[in-house]
Amino acid sequence: KFRMPTADNLVPIRLDMELDGQRLKDAFTWNINDPDSEVINFSRRTVKDLKLPPAFMTQITQSIQSQLAEFRSYQGQDMQAKEMIVPLKLDVRVNNTVIRDQFLWDISNFEKDPEEFAKSLCEDLNIEDPEVAPAVAVSIREQLYELAVQNVSSAKEYRIGKKGRRGVESVSSSKAGNGAIDLARLFGNKGSVIRKRKEWHLYEPIVDVLSKEEAEALDAREERNAR
């Protein structure tokens, strides 16, 4: 049945809104079993802590509730996945730190913990900003969430026989840029997971620390794109 393929069934939540000339961007995870009243409490605390206009409270509450409602709409539904090993990609910027990486994830292992993985990754890369690991974990959960939704669609196609066997084997496009994969295509005809030396640089994690000017220029560009 539908659930996040992780140890904790947490929902990735992303906020991006602008009111009265102020913009709020945030990403975090939410326990789907928490009472709905916690959404209002969270919105109230966020507005108070960030000194935002009171109108933000309604917008934050509605955004979180709609994302939780979408997640709940899949609960109880069957899932079916062709591939258990899927590629995930990171392209995350937090403050002045940019981290890019790609790796394989076993979605059949429900003991995996994106938060612990992100923490270990940041420790290995000597990233000191405490906000980076949570952002990495949210990015991983967003991609796994989309894969889970795709697996629900695959199960539906299988049941109703819309496209026959081809429906089971089809791979939907994802914002993560991947979805389920053909391992032979990824690693070559022999299916080896041993990467060739000349390709090592393609898979190693990249960490960039932006200067204040570079970060401000990137913020301005993202602001223009958002508008």
Side-chain angles (χ1 to χ4, degrees):
K1 300 296 182 179
F2 175 85
R3 64 157 289 157
M4 293 287 288
T6 57
D8 297 312
N9 195 30
L10 303 178
V11 186
I13 301 292
R14 189 168 291 274
L15 302 177
D16 190 349
M17 57 192 65
E18 185 172 358
L19 287 171
D20 300 332
Q22 295 191 53
R23 189 178 181 192
L24 171 64
K25 291 184 65 177
D26 200 3
F28 46 88
T29 55
W30 194 274
N31 188 338
I32 193 65
N33 297 317
D34 278 353
D36 292 341
S37 59
E38 277 303 307
V39 176
I40 299 176
N41 294 334
F42 173 83
S43 302
R44 184 182 295 113
R45 290 195 302 269
T46 299
V47 169
K48 179 180 178 181
D49 293 344
L50 300 180
K51 296 180 173 56
L52 297 170
F56 266 96
M57 181 176 165
T58 300
Q59 296 295 321
I60 294 172
T61 299
Q62 291 178 348
S63 181
I64 295 175
Q65 287 177 337
S66 66
Q67 293 178 69
L68 293 177
E70 180 183 5
F71 186 91
R72 291 190 176 106
S73 70
Y74 294 108
Q75 288 185 311
Q77 298 192 45
D78 293 331
M79 298 173 62
Q80 181 164 339
K82 178 189 175 187
E83 300 289 353
M84 293 292 102
I85 308 298
V86 298
L88 301 183
K89 284 190 175 183
L90 295 179
D91 190 353
V92 176
R93 181 175 79 93
V94 179
N95 301 323
N96 288 14
T97 302
V98 177
I99 177 171
R100 299 183 181 90
D101 197 8
Q102 55 183 322
F103 44 85
L104 299 178
W105 193 277
D106 182 1
I107 62 174
S108 67
N109 185 350
F110 285 80
E111 299 303 316
K112 281 185 173 291
D113 186 341
E115 286 72 26
E116 190 62 33
F117 173 87
K119 179 182 176 182
S120 297
L121 180 65
C122 289
E123 289 176 351
D124 292 343
L125 299 177
N126 297 317
I127 297 175
E128 298 180 354
D129 189 335
E131 296 183 24
V132 175
V136 168
V138 169
S139 178
I140 293 173
R141 285 191 177 276
E142 285 179 327
Q143 294 177 63
L144 294 176
Y145 178 23
E146 186 165 352
L147 288 169
V149 172
Q150 292 175 17
N151 292 340
V152 168
S153 297
S154 294
K156 287 181 178 178
E157 290 178 355
Y158 178 77
R159 285 200 308 271
I160 63 179
K162 261 185 180 179
K163 300 178 181 179
R165 183 173 179 79
R166 184 180 175 188
V168 182
E169 297 178 348
S170 64
V171 178
S172 302
S173 61
S174 81
K175 62 185 176 185
N178 295 287
I181 59 167
D182 183 340
L183 293 182
R185 185 178 71 249
L186 183 65
F187 295 116
N189 293 332
K190 294 182 179 180
S192 172
V193 297
I194 305 299
R195 293 166 181 154
K196 300 175 182 178
R197 182 180 293 272
K198 65 181 180 180
E199 296 178 346
W200 284 0
H201 70 283
L202 299 176
Y203 294 93
E204 64 183 8
I206 298 173
V207 178
D208 291 328
V209 179
L210 305 178
S211 65
K212 181 180 178 181
E213 292 74 18
E214 289 173 329
E216 289 176 349
L218 190 55
D219 284 335
R221 185 161 63 248
E222 291 178 352
E223 187 73 18
R224 288 195 300 271
N225 291 338
R227 290 177 178 177

